[in-house]
Amino acid sequence: MMTTKTELQRFPVAEYKDIGLPEYTENPLIAALPEILSPVDTVEKLTKRPIFHANEVNLEGHVRVHAIARLRRNFLFLRQRTWC
């Protein structure tokens, strides 16, 4: 089966970056990821507040549940570890 140019354009072309670590540079799956964020940038991205509109409280339940789903996307759930 031959792949046409149109079919190839559906997928973004990977951009490989040299992060400076050989174990990352030699792995094409890691080298194609976005750059590693600094601690300050990481905290900034994790502390963004979710979009909330006060008038959504008055929406009917079957509509409001979709707004609640939007709020859930902004939380990072971590498993709790128990050290023995």
Side-chain angles (χ1 to χ4, degrees):
M1 180 176 179
M2 196 164 187
T3 305
T4 65
K5 186 176 180 181
T6 308
E7 288 176 320
L8 292 176
Q9 291 174 342
R10 292 188 336 207
F11 301 101
V13 176
E15 295 179 30
Y16 299 98
K17 300 167 207 71
D18 183 6
I19 298 171
L21 299 170
E23 59 266 39
Y24 288 179
T25 304
E26 294 171 5
N27 184 329
L29 298 176
I30 294 176
L33 292 173
E35 67 182 71
I36 298 172
L37 296 175
S38 71
V40 172
D41 291 338
T42 301
V43 169
E44 182 181 306
K45 290 192 178 285
L46 290 175
T47 56
K48 290 191 178 191
R49 299 194 61 103
I51 299 168
F52 172 75
H53 304 287
N55 63 341
E56 292 176 347
V57 174
N58 300 318
L59 294 173
E60 292 187 40
H62 69 281
V63 176
R64 193 171 60 241
V65 72
H66 292 273
I68 293 169
R70 178 187 345 113
L71 296 174
R72 288 186 60 223
R73 286 194 302 259
N74 291 282
F75 291 94
L76 179 64
F77 296 100
L78 302 174
R79 287 189 345 193
Q80 185 175 3
R81 290 194 143 194
T82 305
W83 299 97
C84 297

